[in-house]
Amino acid sequence: MAPVSIRRILISESVDPCCKKILQENGIQVTEKQNMSKDELVAEIKDYDGLVVRSATKVTAEIINAADNLKIIGRAGTGVDNVDVDAATKNGIIVMNTPSGNTISAAELTCALIMSLSRHVPQAAMSMKAGNWDRKKFMGAELYGKILGIIGLGRIGKEVATRMQSFGMKTIGYDPITPPEVSASWGVEQMSLEELWPQCDYITVHTPLMPSTAGLLNDASFAKCKRGVKVVNCARGGIIDEAALLRALESGQCGGAGLDVFVEEPPKDRALVNHPNVISCPHLGASTREAQARCGQDIALQIVDMLKGKALVGAVNAQVLASTFSPESHQWIKLGEALGSVLRSCTTSKQPYGQVQVTTLGESLKNSSGFLGSAVVVGLLKDGSRSSPNLVNALTLAQETGITVTRNHGDGGQGPAQGSCVVEVSTNGSRWKAIGSVQGDIPVLLELNGSVFRQPVTLLGNLLFFKAAANPQLLPDVTGVLAAAGVAVESFSASAAHGGDRWCCVGLSSPLRDLGALKPLVKEAAQLSL
């Protein structure tokens, strides 16, 4: 299932030509416009369904909020630091990156900086170009037998470890996510940061930039390191506190730094760049022909695969969509939205909602509670306002609205509940419940507020629900009201009497303009179009 439809994509930076070629070959119109100002991008983005960037374009909340049709933001590279993911999620926009596209290039640059720090290669080369021959000035040190601390043991950290082990380095590391037994399988002993700092001759960082990693190497951590420790940052500017690094370099506590990234790029404060023990590069981690081709190809193929309903790869904010690509999930998503819409229509006068509980029943739905829960919330919140709910932003919008959403799964036994979805909502002290399923690829309603329909209600077209006392004359009277309004009855299903009342559902040729015409006949009435 393709969760979105993408017809036009804007590429706002220099991305490998294969990206445009792949997208166009799959029927997508592509426009390339580079070096746009923020105001120019705000004006331009309104015409596109998708945006592809690298790292220079800052996709801010202002840009996202101006993009009425935007459905996907693809970053041809690792991380999404330059994209306001929260704003994108709130607007129901998928954000994806290419997590492995520049892994090898970034790892190789890291290794090059470690080696350059150990042998002063750039400084020696510049000295030679200046006409000097200073062998003693550039006395270096072997990497063999030295200890390399790797902070962040993801794809790049792993590749750095395996390469530097070939130089005879001992590799230790820290990562709160990667299990120690996994990193041990490729030769990295994990430990706490407190244990790591004093052991390292070299430290390299490979984490995202987030509150927990900002300033990870600071005055306090440098003080715990060996005197003369050398550090490398090819990840994100800010992981190493730049002011603390400069102080450590000046005191000799840090013996050298290899920096490919900075807090401000390009850096206006040149103190670090100009320091004689710093080797710096202008953010070259992904700047290889191979990495750029791979990232351009990856982001294009990921978008195409998503649109063709094959898979969702690289999404950082739409994990709920990952299980929606099997053919059987299509109708269940429609069911979830339909159940939410039925309950919204029946409870319009009783809102706001407090809690929503979605329970999936049956072995076939054991992995479906995530997307079914989101689908139900989409149906509940779809009221025509500007905040258009979809599977990406449904839970975020629910939280902002004060709705608590819980999702559960049960085995369902062997009865009619096997393979069904139960939705319960609380609103202003009352609770409403709907149970539905998919029969013959068609979403149906089985039960509403304890009333079980004799014939499952097909959740398609224009539907009129009403609750009234059981009465043989009820249907003829309702049909008469509909006929007088020029509305034809296309289907009818009633529940067994429940507490003297029963729920009925009538399929209509068109919506009834005035529900008030039914007031003399029924206790409650609601209608919706699906």
Side-chain angles (χ1 to χ4, degrees):
M1 176 184 180
V4 295
S5 172
I6 304 291
R7 295 172 292 106
R8 301 189 66 200
I9 283 182
L10 172 67
I11 300 177
S12 66
E13 296 182 52
S14 177
V15 178
D16 191 271
C18 69
C19 179
K20 180 179 181 179
K21 182 173 181 288
I22 292 169
L23 293 172
Q24 288 179 327
E25 287 174 348
N26 286 275
I28 299 172
Q29 298 178 41
V30 180
T31 301
E32 291 183 291
K33 287 192 176 182
Q34 299 178 26
N35 303 317
M36 282 185 288
S37 68
K38 182 190 71 173
D39 291 340
E40 288 172 333
L41 184 54
V42 165
E44 183 75 22
I45 197 63
K46 297 176 182 179
D47 298 327
Y48 297 91
D49 307 302
L51 173 66
V52 172
V53 302
R54 283 179 60 193
S55 56
T57 303
K58 308 304 178 188
V59 190
T60 63
E62 181 182 355
I63 291 168
I64 289 169
N65 291 333
D68 296 335
N69 300 315
L70 198 61
K71 300 176 183 70
I72 188 165
I73 300 168
R75 179 167 187 264
T78 302
V80 285
D81 301 44
N82 55 316
V83 178
D84 189 328
V85 177
D86 289 340
T89 302
K90 185 176 179 180
N91 284 273
I93 300 168
I94 299 169
V95 179
M96 65 167 57
N97 64 359
T98 54
S100 59
N102 60 10
T103 296
I104 299 301
S105 293
E108 288 183 353
L109 180 62
T110 300
C111 296
L113 288 175
I114 292 171
M115 288 184 279
S116 295
L117 286 171
S118 72
R119 301 304 295 270
H120 312 294
V121 175
Q123 295 94 326
M126 292 304 295
S127 176
M128 284 286 289
K129 289 182 183 297
N132 301 318
W133 184 266
D134 279 322
R135 294 182 68 191
K136 291 183 179 179
K137 182 178 180 181
F138 300 112
M139 178 68 68
E142 292 183 350
L143 294 175
Y144 182 81
K146 301 301 191 298
I147 297 177
L148 172 63
I150 305 172
I151 301 174
L153 297 170
R155 294 178 180 85
I156 298 173
K158 175 185 177 181
E159 296 298 334
V160 169
T162 56
R163 283 158 178 73
M164 299 319 296
Q165 287 161 12
S166 68
F167 283 82
M169 296 193 85
K170 177 184 177 182
T171 50
I172 61 176
Y174 168 79
D175 192 303
I177 298 173
T178 302
E181 59 272 18
V182 172
S183 62
S185 70
W186 26 272
V188 178
E189 177 189 356
Q190 278 203 52
M191 57 189 65
S192 69
L193 289 173
E194 294 301 307
E195 294 173 304
L196 180 142
W197 299 131
Q199 296 189 49
C200 298
D201 299 295
Y202 295 79
I203 296 172
T204 179
V205 295
H206 300 285
T207 71
L209 179 64
M210 56 183 70
S212 61
T213 63
L216 197 61
L217 267 159
N218 51 40
D219 288 314
S221 45
F222 272 120
K224 296 171 185 175
C225 293
K226 285 182 180 179
R227 184 168 179 80
V229 66
K230 296 177 174 65
V231 298
V232 173
N233 186 3
C234 289
R236 289 290 183 267
I239 297 171
I240 298 177
D241 183 319
E242 292 180 353
L245 173 58
L246 185 59
R247 287 189 287 270
L249 286 163
E250 291 174 341
S251 71
Q253 182 64 19
C254 177
L259 303 176
D260 186 47
V261 290
F262 298 85
V263 172
E264 181 182 41
E265 295 184 352
K268 291 179 182 176
D269 184 346
R270 307 287 293 181
L272 275 176
V273 174
N274 294 334
H275 194 282
N277 291 338
V278 171
I279 300 168
S280 56
C281 301
H283 204 147
L284 299 180
S287 294
T288 64
R289 287 185 293 274
E290 294 85 354
Q292 288 311 301
R294 200 179 296 121
C295 287
Q297 175 180 280
D298 285 356
I299 197 65
L301 290 176
Q302 286 171 202
I303 291 172
V304 169
D305 284 350
M306 181 193 71
L307 294 179
K308 289 185 175 180
K310 291 183 178 179
L312 182 68
V313 177
V316 300
N317 70 331
Q319 291 82 357
V320 68
L321 297 179
S323 17
T324 66
F325 287 84
S326 60
E328 58 270 18
S329 68
H330 304 184
Q331 299 305 325
W332 286 100
I333 292 171
K334 291 182 180 178
L335 171 69
E337 291 193 21
L339 292 178
S341 296
V342 168
L343 291 173
R344 171 174 50 82
S345 299
C346 291
T347 59
T348 298
S349 63
K350 303 175 176 66
Q351 294 178 19
Y353 304 111
Q355 291 185 322
V356 177
Q357 181 171 307
V358 180
T359 304
T360 50
L361 299 172
E363 180 69 17
S364 62
L365 295 178
K366 66 179 180 180
N367 297 319
S368 305
S369 61
F371 70 75
L372 263 173
S374 296
V376 167
V377 174
V378 169
L380 278 172
L381 298 183
K382 196 175 283 184
D383 58 2
S385 65
R386 189 185 184 283
S387 287
S388 299
N390 60 24
L391 295 181
V392 176
N393 64 3
L395 297 183
T396 299
L397 295 177
Q399 186 177 24
E400 290 183 352
T401 313
I403 301 172
T404 302
V405 181
T406 58
R407 291 162 291 180
N408 303 301
H409 178 73
D411 60 28
Q414 300 299 317
Q418 178 71 13
S420 60
C421 179
V422 182
V423 182
E424 297 177 81
V425 301
S426 64
T427 170
N428 282 332
S430 61
R431 293 188 69 83
W432 284 71
K433 178 179 178 181
I435 301 177
S437 186
V438 173
Q439 297 180 356
D441 289 335
I442 296 175
V444 296
L445 178 68
L446 304 175
E447 180 180 324
L448 181 63
N449 257 21
S451 297
V452 179
F453 289 95
R454 292 193 177 101
Q455 181 69 28
V457 176
T458 300
L459 293 174
L460 296 171
N462 303 301
L463 301 177
L464 169 66
F465 288 92
F466 57 87
K467 179 183 178 182
N471 180 349
Q473 189 58 36
L474 177 63
L475 181 58
D477 289 346
V478 169
T479 303
V481 171
L482 295 173
V487 177
V489 174
E490 296 184 342
S491 64
F492 176 76
S493 182
S495 71
H498 183 72
D501 294 328
R502 65 176 182 173
W503 277 96
C504 300
C505 179
V506 181
L508 306 178
S509 59
S510 60
L512 181 64
R513 291 182 181 178
D514 180 17
L515 281 179
L518 292 173
K519 279 187 176 180
L521 304 175
V522 304
K523 296 181 178 179
E524 295 183 49
Q527 65 178 340
L528 68 156
S529 298
L530 296 170

